[in-house]
Amino acid sequence: MAKLQKRYVCQACGSVTSKWAGQCADCAEWNTLVEEAGGPATPFQAKHHLQSGGRMILLSGLDTEIALPERMPSGIAEFDRALGGGFVEGSATLIGGDPGIGKSTLLLQAAAKIAMRGLSVAYVSGEEAADQVRLRARRLGLGQAPVQLAAATSVRDILTTLSMGTPPDLLIIDSIQTMHSDLIEGAPGTVSQVRASAQELIRFAKERGTALVMVGHVTKDGSIAGPRVLEHMVDTVLAFEGERSHLYRILRAVKNRFGGTDEIGVFAMQTEGLAEVANPSSLFLTQRDENVTGTVVFPALEGTRPVLVEVQALTVRLGSGATPRRSVVGWDSARLSMVLAVLEARCGLSFSACEVYLNIAGGYRIQDPAADLAVAAALVSALSERPIPADAVVFGEIALSGEVRPVAHAALRMRESSKLGFEQALAPASPHAKESEPMPLRVADYRSLAALVERLLGK
């Protein structure tokens, strides 16, 4: 009789080992190995190979004609922007975010708008009762939307119910960590249960043409809980970012098989739910009635959307012998260290006796390398106590040699800045700009960081 082969699966990284250990050898996490029952190990399995005994599959060329997938708009423009135009029939979408960030609220709003257009929508909650979802819908003013609600955690019960009639156009599972499959052993939320439940739901969506949306829990560092296998199984991964203490929320596409991953959707949390923000720059710019040292406006680029944010810097001189502190909010601390090193080595400015604090106003997080010059300008302004002109925006990438390099889509950044009343740009000239093309702003061309420092210091 065949013996059952024991195996231990790490709940953090998904690695499999034959023996239990206190620490995972792959991800170095402690007490994450959980025993799972494997299949029977027989001599036939050890000797058998997979080169025969299967069925023939159809191979086709890349030049085969295929129609573009039809989109199902959610009715929320910012949501559709992040999705690439809307939900795709038979697609699987995973959305993750911190607790209380607004994932269920956004999905309930989208489900109600889709159902009001005559499409069938099923909302299955594994964390809340159906009455709780109804109360939230009434609070949002969506109590009359024809959305089918259910509170269940068994994948078999859910798929059996949906298979009896016409499959829904949209199926929302909130959340995948609460689902349970009776095909394998294990508690809900374990790696094996999450993988098996998601696989059955995705198979149903692909076969029936239902757009599937699954909510995923996140860990303390903001990544989706469990191994990355769940992200590989779905077609689209959306990350809901933002602090609960701030007004705004950002929906960012991390993975999208049917569109780009460079677009974001911006929302504002209000009493009636998540409201779309057509002009995100209004959220991240403060009132600039008077010149303040250490502040500069940077036109960030998120996909095809420019967003103007305010970079704030503060320097505090310390007594001799004290260790200066470097604090960064909303930007990469390693990149701040690089900018400080370039300012000291190439421009003769010393920050060794100063504490440096850098903040991106509004809780925005910048990953654009074009912010180097804006950060450097804010630091120089804070150190010299000379304000930067209030009608100027600053952008450019800084090299270790002190050279300021052009960045992509400079004209798009300046056009958005011009709409908001800015008149000049402290940035390197774009090598691709045509001489006959009028620039939206006056460009003060800086090829080196030292030239900008001399301008800001009045030399």
Side-chain angles (χ1 to χ4, degrees):
M1 185 175 179
K3 293 183 178 180
L4 287 177
Q5 185 181 11
K6 290 185 178 180
R7 63 177 186 175
Y8 299 86
V9 181
C10 177
Q11 304 300 301
C13 66
S15 62
V16 182
T17 180
S18 59
K19 295 182 179 180
W20 185 89
Q23 184 182 30
C24 177
D26 293 332
C27 65
E29 294 289 338
W30 289 91
N31 300 323
T32 57
L33 294 179
V34 177
E35 180 182 352
E36 292 184 359
T42 63
F44 175 77
Q45 289 179 334
K47 297 179 181 180
H48 186 60
H49 58 83
L50 300 178
Q51 298 181 7
S52 62
R55 61 180 180 86
M56 293 292 294
I57 60 176
L58 178 63
L59 300 177
S60 59
L62 284 174
D63 55 350
T64 304
E65 293 293 334
I66 183 173
L68 293 176
E70 295 184 2
R71 296 281 184 173
M72 181 174 57
S74 64
I76 304 175
E78 294 296 314
F79 198 4
D80 294 335
R81 177 190 288 269
L83 287 171
F87 295 105
V88 177
E89 178 181 331
S91 64
T93 302
L94 176 66
I95 178 171
D98 295 334
I101 203 69
K103 302 183 297 296
S104 301
T105 301
L106 177 63
L107 291 178
L108 187 58
Q109 290 181 240
K113 290 181 178 294
I114 293 176
M116 289 178 181
R117 299 203 309 265
L119 301 177
S120 58
V121 179
Y123 190 106
V124 180
S125 176
E127 300 179 350
E128 298 176 293
D131 290 339
Q132 291 179 283
V133 180
R134 291 190 185 96
L135 290 175
R136 184 190 297 119
R138 291 179 182 177
R139 188 172 66 251
L140 300 176
L142 305 172
Q144 303 301 321
V147 178
Q148 300 299 316
L149 298 178
T153 58
S154 173
V155 177
R156 183 182 295 274
D157 296 343
I158 296 172
L159 297 183
T160 301
T161 303
L162 297 178
S163 300
M164 289 182 177
T166 303
D169 297 303
L170 177 64
L171 172 60
I172 298 176
I173 302 295
D174 187 8
S175 66
I176 188 60
Q177 272 81 9
T178 60
M179 296 295 112
H180 178 269
S181 174
D182 56 9
L183 296 178
I184 59 175
E185 298 179 357
T190 59
V191 173
S192 57
Q193 281 290 346
V194 170
R195 184 193 298 117
S197 301
Q199 185 175 5
E200 293 298 324
L201 291 169
I202 293 174
R203 181 183 303 172
F204 172 83
K206 299 292 184 184
E207 293 176 353
R208 300 301 184 93
T210 298
L212 172 66
V213 180
M214 297 181 292
V215 177
H217 293 171
V218 296
T219 58
K220 293 181 180 179
D221 58 356
S223 59
I224 296 179
R228 302 300 292 267
V229 62
L230 188 59
E231 300 183 31
H232 295 308
M233 294 170 63
V234 298
D235 300 311
T236 306
V237 179
L238 301 178
F240 215 17
E241 303 174 355
E243 300 290 339
R244 281 181 291 181
S245 58
H246 288 90
L247 176 67
Y248 82 98
R249 304 287 190 270
I250 292 180
L251 185 65
R252 190 186 306 273
V254 181
K255 170 188 175 182
N256 194 348
R257 290 174 178 167
F258 302 104
T261 58
D262 53 357
E263 294 288 353
I264 64 169
V266 184
F267 302 88
M269 179 61 76
Q270 300 178 359
T271 55
E272 61 272 11
L274 289 168
E276 303 176 60
V277 178
N279 184 16
S281 301
S282 61
L283 287 178
F284 308 114
L285 284 182
T286 58
Q287 297 294 331
R288 301 176 58 82
D289 298 332
E290 57 184 30
N291 292 332
V292 180
T293 60
T295 62
V296 63
V297 175
F298 165 63
L301 197 66
E302 293 286 354
T304 59
R305 165 183 286 181
V307 180
L308 271 65
V309 297
E310 187 175 79
V311 180
Q312 302 171 349
L314 177 66
T315 58
V316 181
R317 297 188 181 275
L318 298 177
S320 59
T323 302
R325 182 181 179 185
R326 305 287 186 260
S327 179
V328 186
V329 177
W331 205 50
D332 187 10
S333 59
R335 206 157 184 89
L336 173 63
S337 301
M338 184 202 75
V339 173
L340 291 173
V342 174
L343 285 172
E344 184 164 354
R346 306 298 181 185
C347 305
L349 299 179
S350 177
F351 291 85
S352 58
C354 298
E355 288 187 342
V356 176
Y357 300 90
L358 185 69
N359 176 51
I360 308 301
Y364 193 83
R365 296 185 181 275
I366 295 179
Q367 299 177 350
D368 193 346
D372 291 349
L373 196 62
V375 171
L379 292 172
V380 174
S381 173
L383 183 67
S384 62
E385 297 184 357
R386 290 175 174 267
I388 297 174
D391 62 345
V393 294
V394 185
F395 59 91
E397 183 180 0
I398 298 176
L400 292 179
S401 61
E403 174 191 4
V404 179
R405 297 180 177 179
V407 297
H409 307 290
L412 183 61
R413 301 172 192 264
M414 287 188 284
R415 278 197 297 269
E416 181 68 18
S417 303
S418 177
K419 292 178 183 178
L420 295 179
F422 293 90
E423 299 179 357
Q424 59 176 321
L426 308 182
S430 176
H432 305 291
K434 299 179 181 178
E435 296 182 358
S436 60
E437 181 182 357
M439 299 303 293
L441 302 178
R442 300 193 315 270
V443 180
D445 184 11
Y446 292 101
R447 302 297 177 89
S448 65
L449 182 59
L452 177 61
V453 171
E454 291 180 358
R455 156 76 185 278
L456 297 179
L457 296 180
K459 296 182 180 180

